[in-house]
Amino acid sequence: VRRKRPHAVDNEIQKTMKRIFITTIAIICLQKTTAQQTPDKFDCIAETPGMTTNMGIISFKTNRTWKVGTQEWSDAVTTSKCKKNEFQGVSSGKFNADCRENPGYGDLFSWCAVSRFQNQLCPAPWRVPTKEDFIVLDIALGGDGEGYVAEKEITEYRVSGYGKVPSGTRKMTQMDLLNEYLNSWGGTFGGKMFNPDSFFGSLGFTSQGRSGYYWTQTKHEINSAYSMYFSNNGIIQPLTRHGIQEGLLLRCVRGTIDKSLIYSFWASTQPKPDEFGCISETPGMTTDVGIASFVSDRTWTVGNQTWSDAVTATKCQKERFRGFSDILNHFNADCRSNPGERGDLFSWCAVARFQNQLCPSPWRVPTIEDFKDLDLAMGGTGNTRWRATEKDIQFVENNYITRWGGDFSGFHNERWFVDQGKGANYWSSSFIMRDPEPVSSRQGPTMTMTPVRGSVDGTPLYLRFDSDGGVGFTVVRSNQANGKTLRCVRDK
């Protein structure tokens, strides 16, 4: 019998051990993969013990129901599977179907829990409310479907882009409406659960006795959904949004709603938009912007153009800027004071509506071609360039800042005043449409403007340069709700 040599036996043993090791690893990986839950269509999983298949619903706490207008509402929902202080919200990058006990107020559910178990939480004929349900509720209780902001919060909420300043179209004061939410609808200040992985994670459970938060079934963005919110100081937001990992209250509703009634109601109470799709709610700006001057201690001549300094207006108010006006997606003719020689920040709607006051003849609002000609006259290429070389930085400093008198004045986006000291943004009258077939242009008194039908239709163009040497004449993300600086131009 032919026997294997010792080293050959060793090789066979090594090969066998290797196969066993690989097989073992594969089995472990398969077990882990099998154990992990597959996200559902909402990108949600359910890791809370006992919640994989059901929520253990007890009842709607229906000691009574609440009839408001055409809707009937349940009381706050509770479930036997919620556990005190056990709430994760997020696990392994996915969102959990979690709920937390909240005795006396109704349990707090993540949006994933509401979405995955909606048929148990709100069984037919009940349903999880949509965002329109809360708008209809607010109107039926005496609001306007948009919301109240407490007077002391007006500045903060206008800056952030949330909230609505009382416009005189409502049927009652904000505190009276809050009482309707509490008494006629049975709302409670049940608080909410912040997720430990969120920006506010360290706060955990918060706001009980001060605020009430209620989910809708309507998704907002990939990680957020619409909700309703009110607080004991009179802030009422029938349409706000929260991260889907947070824990909010849930009320079920039954009854049909006619969405057209919502828009008819809003249309009857909102200012009518002009040919640019703009309205003007900023106090004192309905007919004028109170132009004082161009801050024209001097003018700036470059090539064949003469430029004013940055425009200011007496009607601009510090930190009072909203841009967007309402849920119908109109835009406000807003401006925000920006003290110093930086010039005020105007929405594109303010520039469009008040062009003859902002840039009276022979001045005019510049086109994007005017800005390209300016760049060429200063030795640039007339094209967008975002190179951050020392040469580019010196070009911006020597030409746009020193020769043209520009400034890194920042801008106001939909929520915040940002970028001051880093970037400069100057409106043009030019507007690019996203539609394949642009709507017809309208000739203004001194320039051509394209009527605006909403942010989805197009974007106004502007000049931008920054402290890193970048210069641009096109837009990546902007709309007529942003606040930017304005310089007027006239031909030499």
Side-chain angles (χ1 to χ4, degrees), residues 351-427:
V351 173
R353 293 201 77 179
F354 306 113
Q355 54 186 282
N356 292 331
Q357 297 178 57
L358 293 166
C359 295
S361 182
W363 299 96
R364 56 184 169 81
V365 176
T367 65
I368 203 66
E369 295 302 323
D370 287 321
F371 285 129
K372 292 182 177 181
D373 290 342
L374 170 68
D375 189 68
L376 289 169
M378 294 189 297
T381 64
N383 297 313
T384 295
R385 50 196 184 274
W386 296 121
R387 301 185 302 273
T389 66
E390 186 61 33
K391 181 180 178 182
D392 298 318
I393 293 172
Q394 287 300 314
F395 180 86
V396 168
E397 183 66 34
N398 294 338
N399 290 282
Y400 279 100
I401 300 298
T402 303
R403 187 176 176 185
W404 187 58
D407 203 346
F408 298 125
S409 49
F411 72 100
H412 201 292
N413 60 25
E414 288 86 345
R415 297 186 181 184
W416 314 111
F417 176 47
V418 297
D419 218 24
Q420 192 175 70
K422 298 178 181 178
N425 301 266
Y426 293 87
W427 278 129

Side-chain angles (χ1 to χ4, degrees), residues 209-454:
R210 300 193 308 273
S211 301
Y213 306 84
Y214 295 85
W215 278 126
T216 77
Q217 62 176 270
T218 311
K219 199 79 174 286
H220 172 247
E221 293 177 342
I222 186 170
N223 293 338
S224 63
Y226 286 102
S227 54
M228 189 272 284
Y229 155 70
F230 54 76
S231 71
N232 59 5
N233 66 350
I235 296 177
I236 299 170
Q237 288 298 296
L239 196 62
T240 185
R241 51 193 180 268
H242 282 84
I244 62 175
Q245 78 276 18
E246 296 184 65
L248 310 187
L249 298 169
L250 174 65
R251 297 277 296 272
C252 302
V253 66
R254 60 186 177 189
T256 59
I257 60 171
D258 184 353
K259 293 183 181 180
S260 65
L261 296 178
I262 301 174
Y263 295 98
S264 297
F265 178 86
W266 282 340
S268 68
T269 60
Q270 296 297 324
K272 298 299 184 289
D274 61 12
E275 68 268 30
F276 306 117
C278 302
I279 65 173
S280 178
E281 291 185 348
T282 303
M285 286 182 59
T286 303
T287 57
D288 70 272
V289 289
I291 297 304
S293 68
F294 293 128
V295 197
S296 50
D297 296 330
R298 60 173 295 185
T299 57
W300 311 78
T301 299
V302 181
N304 294 321
Q305 300 168 322
T306 299
W307 293 82
S308 75
D309 215 331
V311 178
T312 61
T314 59
K315 295 295 177 67
C316 291
Q317 299 184 43
K318 182 71 173 176
E319 298 181 352
R320 196 174 178 88
F321 190 98
R322 282 192 303 161
F324 285 115
S325 66
D326 58 38
I327 307 172
L328 294 180
N329 209 23
H330 296 317
F331 301 94
N332 274 345
D334 271 345
C335 66
R336 179 191 193 275
S337 64
N338 197 13
E341 298 197 8
R342 300 177 185 274
D344 292 333
L345 301 177
F346 300 89
S347 70
W348 190 82
C349 277
V351 173
R353 293 201 77 179
F354 306 113
Q355 54 186 282
N356 292 331
Q357 297 178 57
L358 293 166
C359 295
S361 182
W363 299 96
R364 56 184 169 81
V365 176
T367 65
I368 203 66
E369 295 302 323
D370 287 321
F371 285 129
K372 292 182 177 181
D373 290 342
L374 170 68
D375 189 68
L376 289 169
M378 294 189 297
T381 64
N383 297 313
T384 295
R385 50 196 184 274
W386 296 121
R387 301 185 302 273
T389 66
E390 186 61 33
K391 181 180 178 182
D392 298 318
I393 293 172
Q394 287 300 314
F395 180 86
V396 168
E397 183 66 34
N398 294 338
N399 290 282
Y400 279 100
I401 300 298
T402 303
R403 187 176 176 185
W404 187 58
D407 203 346
F408 298 125
S409 49
F411 72 100
H412 201 292
N413 60 25
E414 288 86 345
R415 297 186 181 184
W416 314 111
F417 176 47
V418 297
D419 218 24
Q420 192 175 70
K422 298 178 181 178
N425 301 266
Y426 293 87
W427 278 129
S428 81
S429 64
S430 303
F431 194 91
I432 186 171
M433 299 300 295
R434 296 174 188 159
D435 291 341
E437 298 294 332
V439 295
S440 301
S441 295
R442 296 176 186 264
Q443 180 65 44
T446 59
M447 64 184 181
T448 299
M449 285 283 194
T450 305
V452 181
R453 295 175 296 166

